[in-house]
């Protein structure tokens, strides 16, 4: 980036923040103005990248402390919440793969199975992520898939992912796939289950069948997946159309590796075990409520430092810290902190309240407005927080209008799954 552009982008975010904070708008509370300014500042820096993405993630506690928008203690837990530890544990286990060559084996398998075309790879990983996220929490799917994708990229020589259009496109495809596919079933995340709960308690007053959700929303989800895959493949153009070699070549290379070594088997098992525990939590959650997905990944990450093969540990800390994606962990935490700020200050509710009157008396305008509200809020706060804000407003609004709110709740339930614009999504 040229020095002049870097200076403009570096100063632009804080200038907008200060302008909003000091704007003479008595009808807009100080905390809301500050939160909106912080949202614009962080979004600007995340998009223009005058500093590293991970650095931007540390703005919330500094800004809150200096400008007294919200007590810092309210958002600090976002930097140590369970999903941060889930990512940390998954990174430890992926470092085991790299150390013992399992990443190479997985990469060869992927290239042999899917093919060497970059568009094929992008589409395949997007669809796999979307299918898995329809029945599993988005963050768990992403944590399970990202190390596999990164392993493949490293094998074909892409270590600096941010400098590779294909590397970036593949990771974005997984991230978008986990979001878009989540609307397929109520099991796609806590936000879907919360929406179901609102329908049962405030509208239907009887049990809402999961099959009803699938019948109503699966067609929308399939259309969204097809449209998103097409857009992703066309817009995230790779710097090359195909990798060197053919499927037969990669299959031959895979056979040349021979059988998996014991460290490889252990590395694969250590990753598969917490992933399976995460996916089957409903079977044991009541018996061992503390064994969350995050705890499972961290536990097996620790085990990798303890277990030895021929007197050598599977993983050593000096190796692990050099090969973990620290920036991704901090970026997730910063996005979560920003969402917490917007929720705690009432900014998300403030924005939703201003948009509701635009719904009119129902019809297409109402569909457009409430779809926009759901998708907008899920960009700046968590999916669950967005559902918690928008679904009750949707029900209340259409009850007052004398319109059946159920179709609009379905609409909002789908919309809060489409958070793909910002890391805070």
């Amino acid at each position: 980036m040229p020095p002049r552009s870097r200076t403009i982008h570096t100063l632009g975010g804080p200038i907008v923040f200060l302008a909003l904070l000091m704007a003479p708008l008595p009808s807009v509370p100080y905390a809301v103005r500050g939160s909106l300014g912080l949202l614009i500042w962080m979004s600007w820096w995340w998009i223009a990248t005058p500093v590293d993405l991970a650095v931007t993630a540390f703005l919330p506690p500094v800004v809150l402390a200096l400008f007294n928008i919200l007590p810092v203690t309210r958002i600090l837990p976002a930097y140590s919440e369970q999903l941060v530890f889930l990512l940390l544990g998954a990174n430890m286990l992926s470092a085991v793969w790299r150390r013992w060559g399992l990443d190479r084996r997985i990469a060869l398998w992927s290239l042999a199975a899917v093919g060497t075309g970059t568009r094929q790879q992008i589409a395949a990983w997007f669809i796999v992520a979307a299918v898995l996220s329809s029945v599993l929490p988005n963050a768990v799917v992403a944590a399970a898939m990202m190390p596999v994708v990164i392993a493949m990229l490293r094998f074909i020589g892409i270590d600096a992912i941010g400098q590779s259009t294909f590397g970036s496109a593949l990771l974005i495809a997984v991230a978008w796939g986990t979001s878009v596919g989540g609307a397929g079933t109520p099991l796609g995340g806590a936000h879907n289950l919360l929406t179901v709960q609102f329908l049962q308690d405030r509208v239907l007053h009887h049990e809402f069948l999961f099959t009803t959700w699938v019948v109503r929303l699966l067609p929308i989800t399939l259309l969204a997946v097809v449209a998103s895959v097409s857009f992703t493949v066309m817009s995230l153009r790779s710097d090359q159309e195909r990798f060197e070699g053919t499927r037969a070549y990669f299959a031959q290379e895979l056979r040349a590796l021979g059988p998996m070594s014991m460290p490889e088997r252990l590395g694969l098992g250590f990753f598969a075990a917490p992933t399976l525990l995460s996916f089957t939590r409903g079977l044991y959650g009541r018996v061992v409520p503390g064994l969350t997905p995050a705890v499972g990944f961290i536990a097996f990450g620790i085990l990798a430092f303890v277990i030895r093969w021929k007197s050598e540990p599977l993983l050593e800390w000096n190796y692990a810290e050099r090969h973990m994606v620290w920036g991704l962990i901090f970026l997730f935490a910063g996005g979560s902190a920003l969402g917490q700020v917007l929720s705690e200050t009432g900014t998300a509710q403030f924005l939703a309240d201003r948009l509701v009157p635009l719904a009119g008396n129902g019809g297409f305008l109402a569909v457009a407005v409430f779809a926009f509200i759901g998708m907008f809020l899920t960009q700046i706060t968590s999916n669950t927080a967005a559902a918690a804000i928008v679904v009750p407003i949707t029900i209340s609004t259409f009850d007052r209008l004398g319109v059946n709110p159920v179709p609009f709740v379905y609409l909002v339930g789908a919309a809060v799954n489409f958070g793909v614009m910002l890391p805070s999504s």
Side-chain angles (χ1 to χ4, degrees), residues 30-330:
Y30 174 82
V32 171
R33 297 199 307 273
S35 299
L36 288 173
L38 179 61
L39 168 64
I40 294 172
W41 182 356
M42 293 181 70
S43 301
W44 191 326
W45 277 15
W46 270 331
I47 294 168
T49 61
V51 298
D52 193 273
L53 296 175
V55 174
T56 304
F58 291 106
L59 281 176
V62 176
V63 170
L64 295 189
L66 291 177
F67 296 96
N68 196 30
I69 296 171
L70 189 73
V72 178
T73 53
R74 300 283 286 275
I75 61 106
L76 285 180
Y79 291 88
S80 60
E81 64 180 25
Q82 294 224 17
L83 290 179
V84 173
F85 282 92
L86 190 153
L87 290 171
L88 182 63
N91 267 255
M92 289 179 184
L93 296 173
S94 65
V96 176
W97 293 10
R98 187 169 190 182
R99 185 181 185 196
W100 296 100
L102 181 59
D103 57 345
R104 175 183 172 86
R105 188 181 298 275
I106 290 174
L108 285 169
W109 176 86
S110 174
L111 291 167
V114 177
T116 58
T118 53
R119 291 187 176 184
Q120 291 171 253
Q121 288 284 338
I122 291 171
W125 286 104
F126 188 109
I127 292 170
V128 170
V131 170
L132 290 176
S133 69
S134 69
V135 294
L136 301 166
N138 298 355
V140 173
V141 174
M145 291 187 66
M146 286 297 183
V148 181
V149 175
I150 292 172
M152 189 191 76
L153 292 172
R154 284 171 173 163
F155 169 70
I156 61 176
I158 300 177
D159 283 307
I161 296 173
Q163 298 173 18
S164 165
T165 55
F166 174 65
S168 300
L170 206 58
L171 293 185
I172 289 171
V174 172
W176 287 359
T178 58
S179 290
V180 175
T185 76
L187 299 176
H191 49 292
N192 292 351
L193 296 173
L194 183 62
T195 302
V196 169
Q197 192 66 40
F198 279 129
L199 278 172
Q200 290 182 164
D201 294 347
R202 299 186 55 174
V203 181
L204 303 175
H205 305 295
H206 60 75
E207 183 181 359
F208 178 86
L209 298 177
F210 280 17
T211 52
T212 305
W213 178 292
V214 174
V215 170
R216 297 289 186 270
L217 291 183
L218 187 58
I220 297 176
T221 305
L222 292 176
L223 286 173
V225 168
V226 171
S228 300
V229 167
S230 302
F231 174 79
T232 304
V233 170
M234 297 303 297
S235 63
L236 302 179
R237 293 186 178 276
S238 173
D239 39 13
Q240 60 188 103
E241 287 294 321
R242 184 172 298 278
F243 306 117
E244 294 183 6
T246 63
R247 285 189 179 184
Y249 166 76
F250 289 115
Q252 180 182 346
E253 288 291 301
L254 184 60
R255 288 192 296 270
L257 291 179
M260 292 178 65
S261 66
M262 181 55 69
E264 286 181 277
R265 293 176 185 274
L266 289 171
L268 183 60
F270 282 11
F271 193 90
T275 301
L276 181 63
L277 287 173
S278 300
F279 293 170
T280 58
R281 179 163 165 73
L283 301 177
Y284 65 87
R286 293 185 179 180
V287 180
V288 193
L291 186 55
T292 61
V295 173
F297 274 95
I298 284 290
F300 279 91
I302 294 172
L303 197 59
F305 292 95
V306 176
I307 298 298
R308 292 176 174 267
W309 171 249
K310 295 183 178 179
S311 74
E312 187 176 359
L314 287 180
L315 188 62
E316 295 176 329
W317 181 252
N318 289 338
Y319 183 90
E321 66 177 349
R322 293 196 308 270
H323 296 93
M324 291 170 63
V325 190
W326 294 106
L328 174 65
I329 297 171
F330 297 142

Side-chain angles (χ1 to χ4, degrees), residues 361-368 370 394-395 398 403-413:
N361 294 317
F364 179 77
L365 179 61
V367 170
F370 278 87
T394 303
I395 294 170
F398 290 98
V403 177
N404 180 12
V406 174
F408 296 93
V409 172
Y410 288 147
L411 175 74
V412 170

